Amino acid sequence: AYADRKYNPDYSKIKRLASIACATCHDPHSEENPKQLRTVSLDSLANGYRVPAKIGGLGQLCMNCHRARENTVARIASQQQRFADRFYPHYSPQADMYLGANAYEYNLGITGLGTHHGVKDGCVTCHMAERVLGSSVHADHELNMKVDGKDFVEGCKPCHGEITHFDEITGAVDYDGNGRMEGVQSEIKGLLARLKSFLPLDATGEPVNMARDSMLVKNHPRYPAVLPAIFDYYFVKKDGSYGVHNTKYAVAILRAAIGVVTGVELENLELPQTFELSQNYPNPF
């Protein structure tokens, strides 16, 4: 399965994130944690949300860096008082998205809603799916989910079957309302495009996030309600997975944001929160 994967042990040739090396994650002087990892726990997110036990596994090491740096609700409130530059989460809100917390949630009561909480080691399971190297098996340390222009789906196959790219995983319903049942990533991109069409845009064509364009926001007909919609647009966009990390949470906040900026509440998708197998009655049925 990994025959086409290129392995280059010459770390001097690494151009992207060259400062990230073995000692970033592994402690050469301690065996306190499995695999000599520096930590395997994350206490809480920036908004105080405590990470539930057993969710994320070894991936909680990754979450210590790949998480938003601010309390979203507090940031939005302060933005209404004084519009500051870079009105979006830190570039890496992946832990927040994965855990289903610290977006603006529009009183939906969805904190903790997750799609992949059952994945044993969270980030590690998918980003470091094992590969054959010589006569042994090793965790993939490239971490990139794109290899030679193709989606790296090895970590997805145990649950989603023999797929070749992420968008083969179809949404449960037509999330973006365009009349087509598409892959999750396409549905999320459709929701993002739909939300963006109602937001004030800057000269780059993206929703306003800098103080110099603040009057475009303040003159929006749905101000100040448009502020959380802008923030959640970037929350999903900068997560970068387009729904893969947490489809349920991304869909919920994007659809709620669209309802807020348009004044038209979207139809409830009525997606189940839990699943159970009831007794087969009558039998045969």
Side-chain angles (χ1 to χ4, degrees):
Y2 300 93
D4 62 337
R5 305 272 291 148
K6 296 178 179 178
Y7 175 66
N8 185 353
D10 185 354
Y11 293 103
S12 67
K13 294 183 179 181
I14 297 176
K15 303 298 183 184
R16 183 172 177 268
L17 301 178
S19 62
I20 305 298
C22 308
T24 304
C25 301
H26 298 277
D27 188 344
H29 305 295
S30 172
E31 296 183 3
E32 179 180 352
N33 295 319
K35 305 179 190 299
Q36 290 187 250
L37 294 173
R38 290 192 175 277
T39 180
V40 288
S41 65
L42 171 66
D43 180 71
S44 60
L45 299 179
N47 68 339
Y49 176 72
R50 300 297 294 268
V51 180
K54 298 183 179 180
I55 289 183
L58 297 180
Q60 286 196 20
L61 166 65
C62 314
M63 295 179 191
N64 277 276
C65 291
H66 292 270
R67 55 175 168 154
R69 297 299 192 259
E70 297 179 279
N71 180 323
T72 293
V73 173
R75 177 65 195 275
I76 291 171
S78 68
Q79 198 75 357
Q80 187 175 346
Q81 302 300 317
R82 176 181 176 274
F83 201 99
D85 285 343
R86 297 175 181 83
F87 180 54
Y88 46 71
H90 183 266
Y91 294 95
S92 301
Q94 288 82 14
D96 306 64
M97 176 63 79
Y98 176 82
L99 294 168
N102 201 27
Y104 193 88
E105 298 178 354
Y106 309 92
N107 298 315
L108 293 174
I110 58 173
T111 298
L113 181 64
T115 300
H116 287 118
H117 288 176
V119 176
K120 180 183 177 183
D121 285 314
C123 324
V124 171
T125 300
C126 297
H127 286 266
M128 301 186 70
E130 292 181 339
R131 60 177 172 150
V132 176
L133 181 61
S135 60
S136 58
V137 176
H138 296 268
D140 193 320
H141 280 69
E142 289 186 16
L143 304 176
N144 200 334
M145 300 307 286
K146 286 276 188 183
V147 178
D148 297 329
K150 299 177 182 179
D151 291 345
F152 180 42
V153 296
E154 296 305 319
C156 310
K157 289 181 179 180
C159 295
H160 294 286
E162 289 300 314
I163 62 172
T164 57
H165 55 87
F166 299 127
D167 221 28
E168 287 183 61
I169 304 170
T170 308
V173 296
D174 178 19
Y175 299 130
D176 62 3
N178 66 356
R180 300 190 302 272
M181 289 282 289
E182 301 167 294
V184 163
Q185 288 192 319
S186 291
E187 293 284 353
I188 295 298
K189 289 176 182 178
L191 279 171
L192 283 168
R194 188 173 174 185
L195 174 58
K196 180 178 174 180
S197 69
F198 300 115
L199 300 177
L201 307 180
D202 60 22
T204 70
E206 284 297 301
V208 172
N209 61 67
M210 301 293 281
R212 62 175 177 265
D213 300 309
S214 61
M215 291 310 298
L216 294 173
V217 179
K218 294 177 181 178
N219 290 332
H220 190 277
R222 301 293 294 180
Y223 182 81
V226 71
L227 288 172
I230 293 173
F231 199 89
D232 277 352
Y233 171 88
Y234 281 113
F235 185 93
V236 176
K237 188 92 178 212
K238 291 188 179 296
D239 165 63
S241 75
Y242 295 101
V244 173
H245 289 154
N246 194 340
T247 306
K248 297 175 184 177
Y249 197 67
V251 168
I253 61 176
L254 288 176
R255 286 176 62 88
I258 291 169
V260 165
V261 294
T262 61
V264 179
E265 185 175 349
L266 298 187
E267 181 182 359
N268 185 2
L269 292 177
E270 297 183 348
L271 294 177
Q273 302 295 311
T274 59
F275 299 86
E276 65 176 314
L277 180 63
S278 302
Q279 177 59 39
N280 53 332
Y281 176 85
N283 194 2
F285 66 99

